[in-house]
Amino acid sequence: MRLLLRNIVRDSKRSSLLRIAAAAVAGSGVAFANANADNKPELSIGISAPLRKHLERPWHIGQITDSCPAFLSWDQLQSGILPTFSFRAIPALPDDVKKEVPADASESPKPCPHCLGRDTIATAAARVGPAVVNLSVPQGFHGITTGKSIGSGTIINKDGMILTCAHVVVDFQGLHSSSIGKVAVTLQDGRTFEGTVVNADMHSDIAIVKINSKVPLPTAKLGSSGKLRPGDWVVAMGCPLSLQNTVTAGIVSCVDRKSSDLGLGGMRREYLQTDCAINAGNSGGPLVNIDGEVIGVNIMKVLGADGLSFAVPIDSVSKIIEHFKKSGRVIRPWLGLKMVDLNEMIITQLKERDPAFPDVKRGVLVPTVTPGSPADRAGFQPGDVVIEFDGKPVGSITEIIEIMGDKIGIPIKVVVRRAKDARVTLTVVPEETNLDI
């Protein structure tokens, strides 16, 4: 696009246009100033295609700073040098928007209680911050101290119970109670305590540290991770590299990232994926929603990648804590089934591939049965679709896990559908998982 502006000095309106054009050229075009055959000033401007679309819209003149010249001199035009100045042009408001603009600034709408405002993240961090602690555990070999493990934690009750990661406070080379020892705990206000690891679950990487205090301790409120959606704002807090009171913010990227997606073996686990910045020392620290509630425990990040951080959902953590209180450990029933959630699209695709696939609306597909497992002994077959578990209709693996709870050695009735809509009732007796194998 090429603009030609003539008689600039004599015409005040064109002088204003020149100021707009000059500002545009400063960022997005090329200008040439010269005189034409009639010895009149002429300015040629080459403008990029994206900017051309903006210039074709109606514009209002915005703010011009005091350093802006009132006009351009003939000498400046002859030399081809244009003075620089600050300029901000404001697009004209559509008619329907103009009607909604309040006449008086005092009539501006009040902030939405659930919207992200100027102080939303700061307020959320302030609610949880005092309860976030720095943890330090000496590491050694045969009694020789070789370093220390650092991490973070959150005080979750006034009795001094601190929620953190197992890998922060327990040596993974010693997976039993002999490795559980003392932890140095530092609060945000500078107070220090000696904590004791009272519970640790290696599979979920969740642990509880206990401290005793004669004065009240700050606590954080546990929220719910079940209501989170991708795109929700979250805050990661902790002590990365022992830098206390560190706060970073981001959004939830995925609410149910499976451990198999991350190449992690063992039993099935699910994580919250966020793009919050976390580093060594953040492990065990809280992931907080904008209401100032703990909705996850930061556990790991992907090395060599930005914006890939993971946390254990607080709903899973709450169940683990209940296991700790009830049994002192986490009891996990084992069936020996590999299961896949079914939805309408997957069912349609499976029916297209195999017309004999059972006619179901929802359920859990069993593609693999472990030989010699409780499920194998109960008569499960690859291709079965579980539609009822312990008398309740099911449509997801999560529902089966919740119904099964910590039932070990208790017979459970399971209804499955097979090829050509055969309906079969099986009885399976769960065994406790042996995670040391």
Side-chain angles (χ1 to χ4, degrees), residues 305-328:
D306 294 327
L308 289 176
S309 304
F310 302 90
V312 181
I314 201 63
D315 290 354
S316 299
V317 174
S318 297
K319 294 176 183 177
I320 293 170
I321 294 175
E322 289 302 316
H323 278 276
F324 285 159
K325 292 178 179 179
K326 183 179 179 180
S327 309

Side-chain angles (χ1 to χ4, degrees), residues 211-255:
I211 60 174
N212 297 311
S213 175
K214 296 180 179 179
V215 297
L217 293 169
T219 61
K221 180 182 177 181
L222 301 186
S224 173
S225 55
K227 298 179 181 179
L228 286 175
R229 301 174 301 169
D232 282 344
W233 282 93
V234 287
V235 180
M237 305 180 66
C239 312
L241 307 177
S242 295
L243 300 174
Q244 283 196 252
N245 313 331
T246 298
V247 177
T248 63
I251 62 170
V252 175
S253 305
C254 179
V255 297

Side-chain angles (χ1 to χ4, degrees), residues 102-255:
D104 189 350
S106 62
E107 299 177 9
S108 58
K110 296 181 179 180
C112 169
H114 298 290
C115 297
L116 189 70
R118 175 180 177 180
D119 300 322
T120 302
I121 292 177
T123 301
R127 288 176 179 172
V128 180
V132 180
V133 300
N134 174 244
L135 304 177
S136 177
V137 182
Q139 291 183 328
F141 185 74
H142 291 297
I144 301 175
T145 301
T146 58
K148 65 179 181 178
S149 171
I150 59 172
S152 306
T154 310
I155 305 175
I156 57 176
N157 64 25
K158 294 188 178 298
D159 294 332
M161 182 183 291
I162 300 173
L163 177 62
T164 186
C165 283
H167 75 260
V168 172
V169 295
V170 178
D171 182 4
F172 265 64
Q173 295 179 355
L175 302 180
H176 304 286
S177 58
S178 60
S179 64
I180 297 178
K182 301 300 181 180
V183 181
V185 181
T186 304
L187 272 64
Q188 190 181 76
D189 58 19
R191 287 183 288 171
T192 59
F193 297 88
E194 184 179 75
T196 303
V197 181
V198 294
N199 298 107
D201 180 64
M202 300 302 169
H203 177 72
S204 62
D205 200 9
I206 294 297
I208 297 295
V209 175
K210 181 75 167 56
I211 60 174
N212 297 311
S213 175
K214 296 180 179 179
V215 297
L217 293 169
T219 61
K221 180 182 177 181
L222 301 186
S224 173
S225 55
K227 298 179 181 179
L228 286 175
R229 301 174 301 169
D232 282 344
W233 282 93
V234 287
V235 180
M237 305 180 66
C239 312
L241 307 177
S242 295
L243 300 174
Q244 283 196 252
N245 313 331
T246 298
V247 177
T248 63
I251 62 170
V252 175
S253 305
C254 179
V255 297

Side-chain angles (χ1 to χ4, degrees), residues 15-38:
S15 180
S16 297
L17 288 174
L18 177 60
R19 290 198 297 272
I20 298 174
V25 169
S28 305
V30 180
F32 300 94
N34 64 346
N36 58 21
D38 298 328

